[in-house]
Amino acid sequence: MSYKHNNLMAMRLNYWNDEQSHHVQHEKLRLQQLLQEYGIFQQATLEDARYLFFSLPSIVIVKGYAVGFQHESVLSLIQQYIQTNMQQLQQRTELKIQFQMP
């Protein structure tokens, strides 16, 4: 595993394991809502949101940390990612973490 991958995985884990921040909890809820809005899951759970979050390209994670995952530019990237990977997300296929958006 590369140094870059290790740092980004640590960022993902640190964010996802944050149970104290109301802001982070709200962002996780928004991920669930996006999965429902795009018809990926009828009733998206927190585990479904976690699956999405951990499959997001690294650029989304870095930008999300910088400006927040509800920032318009980050939400746009997440929506683009969902649209591009709808079928794989619905099937909960193991998606390889991308470093850049296609």
Side-chain angles (χ1 to χ4, degrees):
M1 223 180 262
S2 74
Y3 175 73
K4 181 191 287 187
H5 179 77
N6 283 337
N7 283 342
L8 288 168
M9 186 55 74
M11 288 173 71
R12 290 174 197 271
L13 288 168
N14 185 48
Y15 174 86
W16 198 262
N17 292 331
D18 182 349
E19 299 288 327
Q20 304 301 315
S21 171
H22 294 291
H23 184 74
V24 170
Q25 298 310 311
H26 189 68
E27 290 176 336
K28 290 177 185 179
L29 179 60
R30 183 64 181 127
L31 290 175
Q32 286 178 260
Q33 292 169 343
L34 284 171
L35 288 169
Q36 290 174 188
E37 288 172 17
Y38 282 90
I40 305 300
F41 301 111
Q42 247 183 346
Q43 292 295 320
T45 65
L46 188 58
E47 192 58 33
D48 295 328
R50 183 184 194 283
Y51 165 70
L52 170 63
F53 181 78
F54 277 83
S55 71
L56 289 172
S58 299
I59 189 68
V60 177
I61 301 302
V62 172
K63 284 186 177 189
Y65 253 88
V67 297
F69 286 93
Q70 294 201 50
H71 189 273
E72 185 178 317
S73 64
V74 178
L75 276 176
S76 176
L77 289 173
I78 294 171
Q79 291 168 331
Q80 179 185 347
Y81 179 78
I82 290 172
Q83 289 173 336
T84 303
N85 297 286
M86 285 181 85
Q87 188 172 15
Q88 294 91 334
L89 290 168
Q90 287 171 329
Q91 296 171 354
R92 291 185 67 99
T93 304
E94 188 173 330
L95 296 168
K96 182 177 178 187
I97 297 173
Q98 301 172 5
F99 288 98
Q100 296 182 347
M101 297 285 288

